[in-house]
Amino acid sequence: MIVYRENTLSGEVVNRIRTAVGWSEFSAPQLERALNAAAYNVAAFENGKPVGMARLVGDGIYYLLCDVAVVPDCQGKGIGGELVRRTIAHARQTLADGERCTIALVSAGGKEPFYESLGFSSIPNDRAGHGMQLSVTP
Ligand SMILES: CC(C)(COP(=O)(O)OP(=O)(O)OC[C@H]1O[C@@H](n2cnc3c(N)ncnc32)[C@H](O)[C@@H]1OP(=O)(O)O)[C@@H](O)C(=O)NCCC(=O)NCCS
């Protein structure tokens, strides 16, 4: 059975799941700062073992959805979709009547259909140009 836990992610779990999907690790101090500053996170556990995560960074008006990952053995079972749906539900439940917010993300190559199945639109579109990013180092 899959159990979802909100706002309990540790840096160690983030790095473990990132490594499982082939992403590089972050340092423990940087992850601690990131987790303390983030708006929300959710992790999926199977038999006590972390198998997926999603993190939401933002200020209540603009959010970035990041670190969406499910370990390879558990992909294709609906876990990634549930993690993203819970993240969207969190953002929605912070809003009062008449308010709105935007959740942006950078899709990994080829994963756009996953996000489109959850309601996200690719950009550019008739309202927005390309998304842009800058990688910053010391
Ligand atoms: C992308 C990822 C998070 C999806 O998680 P998952 O648990 O495998 O996805 P789900 O089983 O919840 O699938 C949800 C929906 O997206 C679809 N989907 C999932 N991966 C897809 C893909 N690569 N291409 C197209 N559609 C995909 C599924 O068919 C499903 O559609 P349905 O609800 O209509 O059946 C997971 O494959 C993963 O961790 N990949 C490696 C890391 C990564 O690239 N993360 C994205 C970073 S932006």
Side-chain angles (χ1 to χ4, degrees), residues 38-53:
Y40 173 83
N41 66 64
V42 56
F45 291 80
E46 186 178 51
N47 301 324
K49 183 182 154 227
V51 295
M53 65 177 171

Side-chain angles (χ1 to χ4, degrees), residues 23 68-70 75-81 106-108 110-111 113-115 117:
W23 295 345
V68 178
V70 175
Q75 291 175 8
K77 299 177 177 173
I79 297 172
V106 178
S107 175
K111 301 293 160 52
F114 166 71
Y115 291 108
S117 77

Side-chain angles (χ1 to χ4, degrees), residues 62-83:
Y62 296 106
Y63 290 107
L64 177 70
L65 176 59
C66 56
D67 280 338
V68 178
V70 175
V71 301
D73 284 355
C74 292
Q75 291 175 8
K77 299 177 177 173
I79 297 172
E82 182 62 20
L83 290 166

